[in-house]
DNA sequence: CAGGATTTGTGCGTATGTATA
DNA sequence: ATATACATACGCACAAATCCT
């Protein structure tokens, strides 16, 4: 009785549940840790101790290890054999690389999807845009990061190239990480004092971006991608530079 | 004495060893499995049974599981929860996606490295080219796959963009996988009968590629990338299409 | 620079959930 | 519908390496 019901009963007379999670413990833990890292609750450089996580989560050390390795493979954690596993950081060089590569990917993405655009695309993209603007205006910094990624992911999803989407997901986590690091510095300093100006320019900036994306001039859109990402990069770099790498990185 | 020496002794008077491997068992097993898959000894669709691998390798199941998950994250294996882990296959659509995306990456890569090219670049790239040609002429199919990847990897290594190199490594494994699948069909059929013609056109084709790469016309090189990859794609696709996907893929 | 504390890496037995013949 | 094979997960033990005092 207390068990989870199988979805064998007639599905017609039941409300839509959100796809009963066939998640293994490993996946659940990885998800939780990922959220903690990408929301900044686990600061870069923090060591993750397997045994402590195991007791805190109430699971065995093996499950923790597997979840940890999943995040290592995705670049959110770094491991030094026998020394420990730490939340990854990003130096200035890597940040620049990520933004530069993203630029190339996004140009490719829009070139591919350009002739496929339809009403669905315009509607969904606009919808994500307005929900992003709403979040920014509400000054919810953590949610803004998430909303921005959600917005910028849509072209990759719509493009229909699964391989490209995979690469984007990998890259987007590093982008999110750079935002987290940036935000850790910004928090309580610039964001509050200059909040209005920041919000205004952000909305205007992203507005130009989506306008071009919904327009009819592909070349203009490609230039807009360059401009948009360059602005994003310098915003992040201003905060990244003075921050020294907490630990030496290990390339495995 | 029989232990691996630490690299603490004065490094000056010693020849360059290849970075004393601080490999954990997990890494060693993953490496072995990767080679087995990419060399075709483990055919696509094959199920990997943890317990059997564990006894065969003489290690515990934990180590096997971790190595397996590493390869899953790299796209060489696919996992269906509680069902098993299988060697990945590539359908025609994914193959086309991989080649298309590679084209975009390679254009970006050459655009970035173009002004940085120097004598080291020309020398090393040429060296890898001639060793590739030698392998092709010797009709060693497995080695050819490896040599071709080694050749095409150099621009990414030289470019100096570590993030790009990471993405390339991920993509190149799928490319290698497509070659393996292609080769499984080709083996003993076309390769033998038409070997001479194949070898000749391959060498000529790659020759044009490296000539452009060492030349002074970037636009010409970018066009050459398009041409080279299109040829590669149709060569693979000819073999990929008739092969049905052994199992339904699971997108996790 | 020694040595102990800490943490990871690894092995193994076992129990349970899930898929598949 | 049952049975079997297997993946998933737990718990403990010990070895090995790092870190720190």
């Amino acid at each position: 009785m207390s068990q989870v019901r199988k979805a064998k009963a007639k599905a017609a007379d039941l409300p839509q549940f959100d796809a009963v999670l066939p998640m293994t413990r490993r996946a659940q833990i990885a998800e939780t840790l990922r959220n903690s890292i990408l929301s900044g609750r686990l600061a870069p450089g923090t060591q993750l101790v397997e045994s402590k996580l195991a007791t805190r989560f109430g699971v065995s050390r093996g499950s923790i290890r597997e979840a940890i390795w999943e995040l290592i493979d995705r670049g959110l954690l770094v491991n030094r054999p026998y020394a420990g596993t730490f939340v990854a950081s990003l130096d200035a060089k890597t940040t620049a690389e990520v933004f530069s590569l993203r630029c190339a990917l996004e140009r490719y993405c829009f070139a591919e999807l350009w002739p496929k655009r339809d009403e669905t695309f315009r509607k969904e993209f606009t919808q994500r845009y307005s929900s992003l603007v709403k979040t920014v205006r509400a000054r919810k910094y953590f949610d803004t990061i998430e909303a921005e990624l959600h917005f910028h992911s849509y072209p990759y999803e719509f493009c229909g190239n699964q391989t490209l989407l995979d690469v984007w997901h990998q890259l987007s986590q590093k982008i999110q990480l750079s935002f987290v690091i940036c935000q850790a510095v910004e928090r309580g300093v610039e964001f509050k004092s200059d909040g209005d100006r920041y919000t205004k320019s952000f909305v205007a900036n992203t507005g130009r971006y989506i306008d071009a994306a919904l327009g009819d001039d592909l070349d203009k859109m490609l230039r807009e991608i360059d401009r948009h990402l360059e602005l994003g990069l310098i915003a992040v770099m201003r905060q990244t530079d003075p921050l020294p790498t907490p630990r030496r990185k290990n390339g495995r």
Side-chain angles (χ1 to χ4, degrees), chain A:
Chain A
M1 276 305 186
S2 66
Q3 288 289 35
V4 177
R5 294 277 303 279
K6 284 298 258 315
K8 285 202 173 179
K10 284 174 197 160
D13 55 305
L14 286 177
Q16 272 194 338
F17 288 121
D18 37 345
V20 78
L21 50 162
M23 278 178 133
T24 62
R25 229 165 275 255
R26 165 204 168 91
Q28 297 176 40
I29 294 167
E31 182 71 16
T32 305
L33 285 179
R34 194 195 333 272
N35 287 338
S36 298
I37 295 169
L38 294 183
S39 71
R41 282 194 298 278
L42 276 175
T46 307
Q47 180 173 11
L48 296 186
V49 179
E50 294 175 357
S51 49
K52 290 182 181 172
L53 288 178
T55 59
R56 186 168 295 271
F57 276 102
V59 300
S60 76
R61 206 157 67 96
S63 303
I64 295 290
R65 281 177 65 82
E66 295 194 355
I68 282 181
W69 279 104
E70 179 170 328
L71 297 186
I72 288 174
D73 286 328
R74 278 172 169 58
L76 289 182
L77 301 176
V78 291
N79 173 268
R80 298 210 310 280
Y82 292 100
T85 303
F86 307 85
V87 178
S89 188
L90 288 181
D91 53 22
K93 179 172 181 295
T94 304
T95 306
E97 288 178 1
V98 168
F99 273 81
S100 170
L101 182 55
R102 177 186 160 188
C103 190
L105 284 183
E106 202 142 321
R107 283 168 147 273
Y108 168 73
C109 175
F110 271 96
E112 290 284 309
L113 70 76
W114 203 252
K116 299 185 201 165
R117 292 175 308 159
D118 56 12
E119 261 321 296
T120 307
F121 176 78
R122 289 167 215 277
K123 195 172 167 186
E124 174 70 16
F125 205 29
T126 305
Q127 208 281 322
R128 295 194 185 191
Y129 169 68
S130 55
S131 105
L132 167 60
V133 169
K134 204 179 303 179
T135 312
V136 172
R137 292 232 165 91
R139 301 279 212 293
K140 299 180 169 182
Y141 204 100
F142 289 120
D143 295 343
T144 297
I145 294 177
E146 200 178 335
E148 185 162 6
L149 264 296
H150 187 245
F151 169 69
H152 277 110
S153 289
Y154 187 63
Y156 293 94
E157 295 170 16
F158 181 80
C159 181
N161 186 325
Q162 182 60 44
T163 310
L164 174 62
L165 187 56
D166 288 344
V167 173
W168 162 251
H169 279 147
Q170 195 179 335
L171 209 63
S172 71
Q173 297 202 348
K174 291 190 177 174
I175 294 171
Q176 205 163 347
L177 199 56
S178 74
F179 287 160
V180 169
I181 294 170
C182 167
Q183 177 270 350
V185 181
E186 235 175 38
R187 181 163 36 194
V189 184
E190 228 174 315
F191 190 53
K192 269 185 180 167
S193 65
D194 225 358
D196 275 334
R197 204 161 66 89
Y198 174 81
T199 299
K200 221 175 148 189
S201 81
F202 180 91
V203 171
N205 186 14
T206 310
R208 278 186 58 173
Y209 180 86
I210 191 174
D211 281 345
L214 298 182
D216 281 326
D217 187 347
L218 177 57
D219 278 333
K220 184 181 172 188
M221 182 60 205
L222 297 184
R223 286 195 304 275
E224 184 57 33
I225 289 172
D226 291 344
R227 196 191 61 86
H228 187 77
L229 293 191
E230 193 171 357
L231 286 181
L233 176 60
I234 60 177
V236 172
M237 288 297 261
R238 261 194 315 160
Q239 311 296 343
T240 300
D241 252 331
L243 192 71
T245 310
R247 307 238 172 194
R248 71 175 185 277
K249 287 184 66 173
N250 188 332
R252 280 207 300 149

